Amino acid sequence: DVKVTQSSRYLVKRTGEKVFLECVQDMDHENMFWYRQDPGLGLRLIYFSYDVKMKEKGDIPEGYSVSREKKERFSLILESASTNQTSMYLCASSPLMNTEAFFGQGTRLTVV
Amino acid sequence: GESVGLHLPTLSVQEGDNSIINCAYSNSASDYFIWYKQESGKGPQFIIDIRSNMDKRQGQRVTVLLNKTVKHLSLQIAATQPGDSAVYFCAENSKGTSYGKLTFGQGTILTVHP
């Protein structure tokens, strides 16, 4: 089975802190994604990466950055956390275009 | 921009009934569609997918129907069980979209009563 593992299930951070969300996949997938999920808004793409050191902005990249130094790991960085970044964050990976994406269990981040 | 949306945000059924969850999409270039199930506290799980060269695809107790003429997608769950209670998302990708990006709908909450 494909495994996408997010480092934390729950996080509480203070406004202004730098926050790192880590994601690891074990299936050698090329593509990795970060989504945030908010009630009534579904899943919105923040950033994605199609190869090591490559990244592309998604629909809502403001306030976020990403890092992909190794194929299996994709990190989401909140440079200066704000309360409007309180959300569920979902990491996903997929092998190719037009195939299913496999999701991690999510990280529920609260910024206070 | 293009979007994927759902007709009904909630659906409540009795155990044993068949459930139908609908999804409308607006991007005529969409050529790949997926249904995901998300249980409380978990990430979305793949249920079934369909490509635009097909009208229907069946899995175990689930069927996806694609009507490209009206840009409509539906998920049918046969003999719905309490364990089917979850949020269901449709998602789409298009040939013009790079690297497997999926666009998700808002989700439908399915509640199955015993």
Side-chain angles (χ1 to χ4, degrees):
Chain A
D1 281 353
V2 174
K3 269 221 172 127
V4 179
T5 303
Q6 295 182 228
S7 53
S8 304
R9 290 296 302 273
Y10 301 94
L11 276 179
V12 180
K13 296 292 181 181
R14 295 193 181 277
T15 301
E17 276 193 78
K18 191 169 185 176
V19 181
F20 293 85
L21 302 183
E22 307 287 347
C23 176
V24 177
Q25 51 99 359
D26 66 358
M27 283 301 292
D28 202 37
H29 286 169
E30 278 68 29
N31 304 322
M32 295 190 75
F33 310 85
W34 276 105
Y35 289 86
R36 67 177 279 177
Q37 183 177 23
D38 300 288
L41 296 177
L43 280 72
R44 293 179 293 166
L45 182 64
I46 304 171
Y47 266 98
F48 69 102
S49 169
Y50 52 90
D51 200 353
V52 174
K53 297 192 186 295
M54 305 305 290
K55 61 185 180 183
E56 292 281 344
K57 292 180 180 179
D59 300 318
I60 51 163
E62 296 79 19
Y64 303 95
S65 62
V66 291
S67 172
R68 192 158 180 210
E69 296 297 319
K70 294 184 178 181
K71 190 174 186 180
E72 67 271 18
R73 187 178 297 270
F74 193 34
S75 303
L76 179 69
I77 303 154
L78 285 66
E79 297 291 342
S80 177
S82 63
T83 54
N84 63 12
Q85 292 178 309
T86 292
S87 187
M88 170 70 86
Y89 289 89
L90 290 161
C91 175
S93 72
S94 70
L96 296 166
M97 291 176 58
N98 280 13
T99 59
E100 66 180 285
F102 297 86
F103 283 84
Q105 78 278 22
T107 296
R108 186 164 294 282
L109 172 67
T110 302
V111 182
V112 298
Chain B
E2 301 288 355
S3 65
V4 178
L6 292 174
H7 292 303
L8 298 173
T10 62
L11 179 64
S12 185
V13 301
Q14 291 295 127
E15 182 177 2
D17 287 352
N18 296 332
S19 301
I20 300 175
I21 301 171
N22 296 303
C23 179
Y25 64 96
S26 55
N27 184 359
S28 57
S30 296
D31 60 352
Y32 178 62
F33 305 87
I34 303 180
W35 281 100
Y36 282 93
K37 172 187 180 183
Q38 187 176 24
E39 296 174 281
S40 181
K42 297 184 179 180
Q45 287 179 283
F46 171 85
I47 301 173
I48 192 167
D49 60 1
I50 188 167
R51 299 192 185 276
S52 59
N53 60 353
M54 302 173 70
D55 297 323
K56 180 179 179 179
R57 191 163 189 225
Q58 288 185 293
Q60 189 177 12
R61 283 199 306 118
V62 294
T63 301
V64 56
L65 298 177
L66 175 62
N67 185 331
K68 294 180 286 294
T69 303
V70 296
K71 299 190 187 71
H72 186 267
L73 187 71
S74 68
L75 176 70
Q76 300 179 1
I77 306 173
T80 316
Q81 302 166 1
D84 294 326
S85 294
V87 180
Y88 289 81
F89 293 94
C90 63
E92 60 91 15
N93 193 3
S94 65
K95 289 177 185 173
T97 304
S98 59
Y99 308 111
K101 283 199 303 179
L102 293 170
T103 300
F104 284 82
Q106 295 178 349
T108 292
I109 301 171
L110 175 65
T111 303
V112 183
H113 300 283

